[in-house]
């Protein structure tokens, strides 16, 4: 997607409703000088590419996003990753570029995808437990007692994101 297509799609995604060329034009003109026919052509191109659907309204069209910005970003990441000759190295490099906030978002996303069966704690070195703690943690199951109910991931309980 080109820069102007992205600027148009940003508005369509942000407004989250069917929009007209005139609405997009007026908003874009706050930032740049642009012609009505240019915005009309961009929206037509986005329609041809499958990013927006359109419905006739009088002599004009109303355009609506076919998918979300998140789905677009995921498609970009997947496309870039699938073109790598070493996907694992590409992921390591990508993770190395992430901010702490992005890493937390990644961790949350992995938990949502894995569902409620996934461990609540991240993999890696864990804080040491007092001696015998492992035996105490498994003791109810060994005695045939029901285990404490596990807390479900809030995202998974609501169907998760992107499912």
């Amino acid at each position: 997607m080109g820069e102007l297509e992205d600027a148009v799609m940003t508005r369509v995604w942000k407004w989250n409703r069917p929009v007209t060329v005139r609405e997009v034009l007026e908003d874009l003109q706050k930032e740049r000088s642009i012609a009505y026919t240019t915005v009309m052509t961009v929206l037509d191109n986005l329609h041809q590419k499958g990013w927006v659907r359109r419905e006739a309204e009088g002599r004009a069209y109303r355009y609506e996003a076919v998918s979300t910005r998140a789905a677009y970003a995921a498609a970009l990441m997947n496309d870039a990753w699938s073109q790598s000759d070493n996907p694992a190295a590409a992921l390591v490099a990508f993770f190395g570029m992430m901010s702490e906030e992005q890493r937390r978002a990644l961790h949350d996303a992995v938990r949502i995808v894995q569902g409620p069966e996934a461990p609540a704690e991240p993999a890696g070195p864990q804080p040491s437990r007092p001696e015998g703690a492992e035996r105490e943690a498994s003791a109810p199951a060994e005695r045939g007692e029901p285990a404490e109910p596990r807390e479900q991931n809030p995202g998974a309980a609501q169907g998760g994101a992107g499912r």
Side-chain angles (χ1 to χ4, degrees):
M1 188 179 302
E3 186 268 329
L4 187 52
E5 288 175 327
D6 184 65
V8 170
M9 281 306 300
T10 294
R11 282 144 180 91
V12 175
W13 282 319
K14 182 175 83 172
W15 295 335
N16 197 27
R17 62 174 173 76
V19 300
T20 64
V21 172
R22 176 84 42 212
E23 290 173 307
V24 176
L25 171 72
E26 290 172 358
D27 200 57
L28 283 170
Q29 284 178 331
K30 295 174 185 175
E31 299 172 1
R32 64 178 85 192
S33 176
I34 190 165
Y36 181 93
T37 53
T38 302
V39 176
M40 184 173 63
T41 299
V42 169
L43 280 163
D44 185 60
N45 290 343
L46 290 166
H47 176 256
Q48 297 301 320
K49 291 179 177 182
W51 285 104
V52 295
R53 70 177 65 90
R54 67 183 180 194
E55 285 196 33
E57 184 176 278
R59 293 177 11 158
Y61 287 108
R62 283 204 174 266
Y63 295 87
E64 185 174 17
V66 169
S67 98
T68 64
R69 180 179 278 285
Y72 172 67
L76 285 177
M77 289 187 288
N78 186 58
D79 185 49
W81 185 49
S82 66
Q83 293 179 30
S84 173
D85 60 345
N86 187 339
L91 283 175
V92 169
F94 179 64
F95 296 157
M97 295 176 196
M98 294 175 121
S99 69
E100 187 57 38
E101 181 181 346
Q102 290 169 323
R103 284 189 192 101
R104 283 192 299 271
L106 174 65
H107 183 300
D108 292 343
V110 168
R111 282 194 351 232
I112 289 168
V113 169
Q114 289 178 338
E117 301 304 314
E121 298 178 32
Q126 301 295 316
S128 61
R129 300 172 91 178
E131 191 174 319
E134 288 81 9
R135 284 190 305 266
E136 291 173 18
S138 63
E142 290 172 3
R143 292 191 302 260
E145 298 174 10
E148 296 272 331
R150 290 173 51 153
E151 182 178 324
Q152 284 202 351
N153 179 330
Q158 298 171 0
R163 283 194 178 177

